[in-house]
């Protein structure tokens, strides 16, 4: 009987090899603002020097495809951009240690930079350096077709100038207007777009094919060692001319920028004053500013307050308003006149100074404040400002808080069907009381902010 043979055990089994799995590091990217530096230069000797003026862009993230505005795929990345304020062209020096796809791809740097600098971006450094001599007359060559707005014969007394700390001789300054229906205006604006995108918050390029856009350019005349005059561009503004029925127009300021080397020297105020005088001399309906930032709004208000203080037709109205505060404590009265100018003054200001009703009302309280003695009338003035803001922001809310609006389904129009009813519920009254407390708290903060703004502008106007 045969025995079943068992498989013999291998005395030297081969050890199983273990596989080592290596996970590559996830590429978290680098924020554009952390690896890009942009310098403004006016000579070729400044190119490559970190002593040149480095600007702080409002936002670089919008120019990159990534949602967070990050750059991916580069190690040790440094991007240095040199932007000439002579030729208004740029050169980008890109340095990095290595590239690798860490899961997010490799950012196309050239395409991203062209989103900002477009046709102003020069590929070759030597070619960029040559622009300082080749395009030294670039600015001056454009104004042959432009219209000189300043200086002009001001013998008619039309030109108003407050000269807020202007650190330049007015005789060296010129303001030109370039229409977008000629090549000079389009050519210049195309080179100014990168500065607008980088330094004006929320800016986007204007449509240069629309002839209703106008470019206003502020320059300063400088003489070189050879005695030749070369204009330096200090700043610019882009305005749109709207039609106003039946035979007028409205001017709206969309972009205004004084180049960083020339800021805080009074040039922004000067350019705004020229624009105000254009609106008056051309008898437009009014002159507005599109969504002004707080700094621009403050500067504009300072200018307008000075203009209004010298405008005779409203002096009587201001004196009448000031006299209301000298009659006694407003807090002891059941009611008092609102802190508003008469309708006739609003009309006169718009017709003569081209200041809109909204802007005039913004200036009115400052004009009244300037006529008061703060030590005697401050309490009443704050009370008047609070009353005005309460009427605008809350209104007569005591009755409104007891009313509710609910949607009612209908086959006719679902979105436009509703019913209003008066609530008698105790719960609603409690909610209304809580809402009123929140409103009062928010109102107090807004009033405090407004009073502080009034004091600040009044101080600046009085100091000039």
């Amino acid at each position: 009987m045969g025995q079943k043979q068992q498989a013999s055990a291998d005395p030297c089994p081969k050890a199983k090899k273990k596989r080592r799995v290596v996970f590559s590091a996830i590429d978290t990217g680098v924020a554009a603002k952390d690896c890009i530096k942009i310098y403004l230069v006016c000579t070729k000797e400044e190119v490559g020097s970190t002593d040149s003026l480095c600007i702080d862009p409002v936002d670089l993230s919008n120019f990159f495809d990534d949602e967070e505005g990050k750059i991916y795929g580069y190690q040790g990345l440094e991007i240095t951009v040199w932007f000439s304020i002579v030729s208004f062209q740029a050169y980008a020096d890109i340095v990095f240690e290595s590239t690798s796809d860490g899961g997010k791809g490799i950012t196309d740097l050239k395409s991203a930079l062209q989103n900002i600098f477009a046709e102003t971006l020069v590929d070759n450094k030597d070619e960029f350096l040559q622009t300082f001599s080749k395009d030294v007359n670039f600015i001056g060559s454009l104004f042959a077709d432009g219209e000189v707005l300043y200086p002009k014969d001001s013998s008619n007394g039309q030109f108003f100038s407050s000269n807020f700390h202007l650190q330049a001789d007015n005789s060296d300054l010129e303001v030109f207007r370039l229409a977008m229906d000629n090549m000079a205006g389009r050519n210049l604006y195309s080179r100014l777009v990168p500065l607008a995108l980088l330094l004006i918050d929320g800016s986007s390029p204007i449509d240069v094919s629309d002839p209703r856009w106008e470019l206003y350019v502020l320059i300063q005349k400088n003489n070189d060692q050879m005695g030749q005059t070369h204009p330096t561009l200090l700043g610019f503004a882009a305005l749109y001319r709207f039609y106003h029925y039946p035979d007028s127009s409205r001017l709206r300021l969309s972009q205004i920028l004084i180049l960083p080397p020339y800021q805080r020297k009074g040039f922004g105020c000067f350019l705004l004053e020229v624009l105000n005088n254009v609106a008056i001399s051309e008898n437009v309906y009014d002159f507005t500013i599109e969504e002004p930032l707080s700094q621009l709004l403050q500067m504009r208000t300072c200018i307008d307050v000075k203009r209004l203080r010298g405008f005779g037709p409203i002096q009587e109205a201001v004196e009448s308003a000031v006299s209301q505060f000298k009659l006694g404590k407003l807090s002891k009265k059941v009611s008092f006149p609102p802190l508003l100018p008469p309708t006739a003054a609003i009309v006169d200001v718009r017709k003569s100074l081209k200041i809109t009703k909204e802007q005039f009302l913004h200036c009115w309280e400052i004009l009244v404040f300037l006529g008061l003695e703060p030590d005697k009338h401050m309490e009443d003035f704050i009370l008047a400002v609070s009353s005005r803001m309460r009427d605008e922001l809350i209104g007569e809310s005591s009755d409104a808080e007891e009313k509710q609006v609910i949607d009612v389904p209908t086959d006719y129009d679902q979105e436009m069907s509703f019913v209003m009813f008066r609530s008698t519920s105790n719960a609603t009254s409690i909610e209304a009381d809580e809402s009123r407390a929140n409103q009062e708290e928010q109102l107090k903060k807004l009033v405090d902010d407004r009073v502080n703004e009034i004091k600040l502008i009044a101080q600046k106007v009085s100091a000039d």
Side-chain angles (χ1 to χ4, degrees), residues 314-456:
I314 71 161
Q315 292 306 309
E316 184 178 345
V318 173
E319 291 171 3
S320 176
V322 169
S323 66
Q324 295 291 328
F325 292 90
K326 298 179 179 180
L327 296 176
K329 288 287 185 180
L330 295 180
S331 56
K332 295 180 180 179
K333 299 182 180 181
V334 177
S335 62
F336 53 91
L339 190 57
L340 293 172
T343 303
I346 296 174
V347 174
D348 285 342
V349 166
R350 188 202 56 75
K351 285 184 176 180
S352 300
L353 300 183
K354 309 306 176 184
I355 299 176
T356 64
K357 176 182 177 180
E358 180 183 9
Q359 175 65 2
F360 178 41
L361 295 179
H362 189 71
C363 297
W364 175 257
E365 290 173 340
I366 303 168
L367 292 168
V368 174
F369 178 82
L370 285 166
L372 297 175
E373 298 179 49
D375 294 339
K376 293 183 179 180
H377 307 121
M378 197 63 206
E379 181 181 348
D380 285 348
F381 181 77
I382 294 174
L383 183 62
V385 172
S386 178
S387 177
R388 190 267 304 168
M389 296 185 73
R390 180 188 299 278
D391 290 343
E392 288 184 2
L393 302 176
I394 299 178
E396 298 181 7
S397 59
S398 58
D399 182 62
E401 287 173 347
E402 298 176 0
K403 297 177 181 178
Q404 295 185 23
V405 177
I406 61 172
D407 294 327
V408 178
T410 176
D411 294 334
Y412 177 68
D413 192 333
Q414 177 67 35
E415 295 182 354
M416 296 185 63
S417 302
F418 64 89
V419 169
M420 176 181 287
F421 69 96
R422 185 183 301 276
S423 172
T424 57
S425 168
N426 292 333
T428 303
S429 299
I430 295 174
E431 292 174 0
D433 289 341
E434 291 178 352
S435 174
R436 188 179 298 114
N438 290 336
Q439 287 178 344
E440 292 296 333
E441 183 179 350
Q442 294 172 14
L443 177 63
K444 183 180 184 306
K445 184 180 184 307
L446 290 173
V447 170
D448 290 343
D449 291 343
R450 174 57 179 158
V451 171
N452 289 334
E453 178 191 14
I454 291 171
K455 290 180 178 178
L456 177 62

Side-chain angles (χ1 to χ4, degrees), residues 13 103 152 180 202 249 298 303 353 404:
K152 273 190 175 181
M180 286 301 158
S249 61
Q298 186 181 106
I303 293 173
L353 300 183
Q404 295 185 23

